[in-house]
Amino acid sequence: MAVDMRLPSVKNSMSLSVSAAGRKDLVVPGDVITSDTGFMRGHGTYVDEDKLTASVAGEVQRVDKLICVRPLKTRFNGEVGDVVVGRITEVQQKRWKVETNSRLDSVLLLSSVNLPGGELRRRSAEDELTMREYLHEGDLISAEVQSVFSDGALSLHTRSLKYGKLGQGVLVQLSPSLIKRQKTHFHNLPCGASIILGNNGFVWLYPTPRQQEEEAGGFYTSLEPVSLSDREVISRLRNCLLALAAHKVLLYDTSVLYCYESSLQHQVKDILKPEVMEEIVMLTQQKLLEQES
């Protein structure tokens, strides 16, 4: 039986790290952001000797006079309208508890879901008794943040037909700070797979559906066998996501697709090798720079 063994090697400093070190919008705790007293102090900052100083490592964000630091690695702080991918952890009275990579479990109310068939009516006691038939512990869902409670917990809804129970696919758990905010987080990629880039850092990869089952009201899940070609595409996309995340590259449809194209010259299992990973990410960044210019 052949075994692939790797000897330890000296890790070269990445060009990405060098470019990131020169950016003025990245700070570490103790860095002085500004000495101008006209700015307001936001999250991740404090005032020390009339100087606004960073209290966490992250990216400086300025909105008018307000300055805050967005941590590079943190739990998901949801906002209304965010797309999330979550896992049902508990079925309670008239609600489901959902793990969404937040500090607290999110809540999906029975009144905030489409019932099978898409009918709009008041939820009855019979609906409460059959809640576990719709969604039970361990199920994965895509949803949207409807509101934020006073304690920071999120209230979700799946009323749109694009949200609902997820079927066959692969879940990749990454840092929420790596997900780029866009108008849509649902993408059908040209390579034959689809991706849901959850704002909470949970990314769902699945075969592009041949037809949309709208009459199921978001609870239809295809259990047909996934072809070998689709499984290979999804596995390649998963390894590409891990490579981009390891080098702190923002994840959105274009960066994922460029990384996928750059990885085609390598086998799926080789993408996670450090030297291959570095090569693929550098090619991806070059393509992104060419596109911006």
Side-chain angles (χ1 to χ4, degrees):
M1 183 177 68
V3 179
D4 185 13
M5 297 187 64
R6 304 177 55 79
L7 295 175
S9 59
V10 178
K11 188 174 181 181
N12 296 324
S13 59
M14 293 287 298
S15 58
L16 175 65
S17 307
V18 175
S19 63
R23 290 172 55 183
K24 295 182 179 179
D25 55 347
L26 291 178
V27 293
V28 297
D31 279 357
V32 175
I33 301 173
T34 180
S35 55
D36 190 347
T37 56
F39 284 98
M40 293 188 294
R41 183 174 69 86
H43 293 294
T45 65
Y46 65 95
V47 177
D48 181 28
E49 297 180 355
D50 293 332
K51 296 178 181 178
L52 194 63
T53 309
S55 61
V56 295
E59 180 183 2
V60 178
Q61 294 183 333
R62 293 176 171 86
V63 180
D64 295 330
K65 293 287 185 179
L66 178 67
I67 294 182
C68 59
V69 178
R70 183 186 178 194
L72 295 176
K73 189 173 183 181
T74 181
R75 282 282 188 172
F76 173 57
N77 293 314
E79 300 175 9
V80 175
D82 282 350
V83 175
V84 299
V85 174
R87 188 182 296 277
I88 303 294
T89 59
E90 191 177 346
V91 182
Q92 297 182 339
Q93 185 177 11
K94 295 185 180 180
R95 67 184 64 197
W96 291 271
K97 284 292 189 75
V98 188
E99 160 60 23
T100 54
N101 200 23
S102 307
R103 291 189 299 272
L104 299 170
D105 278 348
S106 302
V107 173
L108 177 63
L109 297 174
L110 178 60
S111 58
S112 299
V113 303
N114 277 338
L115 295 178
E119 58 209 279
L120 297 175
R121 58 174 175 78
R122 293 180 64 88
R123 306 300 187 253
S124 63
E126 184 180 349
D127 293 324
E128 287 186 51
L129 293 174
T130 57
M131 279 178 60
R132 197 170 259 108
E133 293 181 12
Y134 306 145
L135 296 168
H136 59 79
E137 292 87 350
D139 280 349
L140 285 164
I141 63 167
S142 61
E144 183 178 311
V145 178
Q146 185 176 32
S147 60
V148 182
F149 294 119
S150 58
D151 60 356
L154 306 177
S155 177
L156 310 176
H157 81 87
T158 62
R159 287 203 188 95
S160 172
L161 288 174
K162 64 182 178 181
Y163 304 125
K165 187 176 178 180
L166 301 176
Q168 300 190 95
V170 173
L171 178 68
V172 186
Q173 300 184 22
L174 306 169
S175 172
S177 61
L178 295 175
I179 307 297
K180 183 177 181 179
R181 290 184 179 274
Q182 293 184 289
K183 289 184 178 179
T184 176
H185 287 253
F186 293 75
H187 303 284
N188 294 330
L189 301 177
C191 57
S194 297
I195 187 171
I196 304 176
L197 292 162
N199 287 109
N200 59 332
F202 287 3
V203 179
W204 181 250
L205 299 166
Y206 61 103
T208 302
R210 304 290 181 264
Q211 59 184 3
Q212 186 66 32
E213 297 282 344
E214 295 189 354
E215 66 273 9
F219 292 101
Y220 171 81
T221 55
S222 173
L223 297 179
E224 295 180 2
V226 180
S227 66
L228 178 60
S229 59
D230 284 342
R231 295 202 300 269
E232 287 180 348
V233 169
I234 291 173
S235 299
R236 183 176 293 275
L237 281 171
R238 177 220 176 235
N239 288 353
C240 287
L241 287 171
L242 295 177
L244 291 172
H247 292 87
K248 304 296 185 287
V249 178
L250 275 182
L251 301 174
Y252 55 108
D253 55 332
T254 307
S255 65
V256 173
L257 189 58
Y258 282 167
C259 187
Y260 178 88
E261 293 171 351
S262 302
S263 72
L264 290 175
Q265 56 188 326
H266 301 282
Q267 292 187 13
V268 175
K269 65 179 182 180
D270 294 335
I271 297 175
L272 296 181
K273 293 181 178 179
E275 64 274 11
V276 177
M277 191 185 292
E278 181 177 350
E279 175 192 338
I280 293 172
V281 172
M282 290 186 69
L283 287 172
T284 303
Q285 288 181 310
Q286 289 174 5
K287 291 182 179 180
L288 291 173
L289 289 173
E290 290 172 4
Q291 184 203 33
E292 290 176 1
S293 59

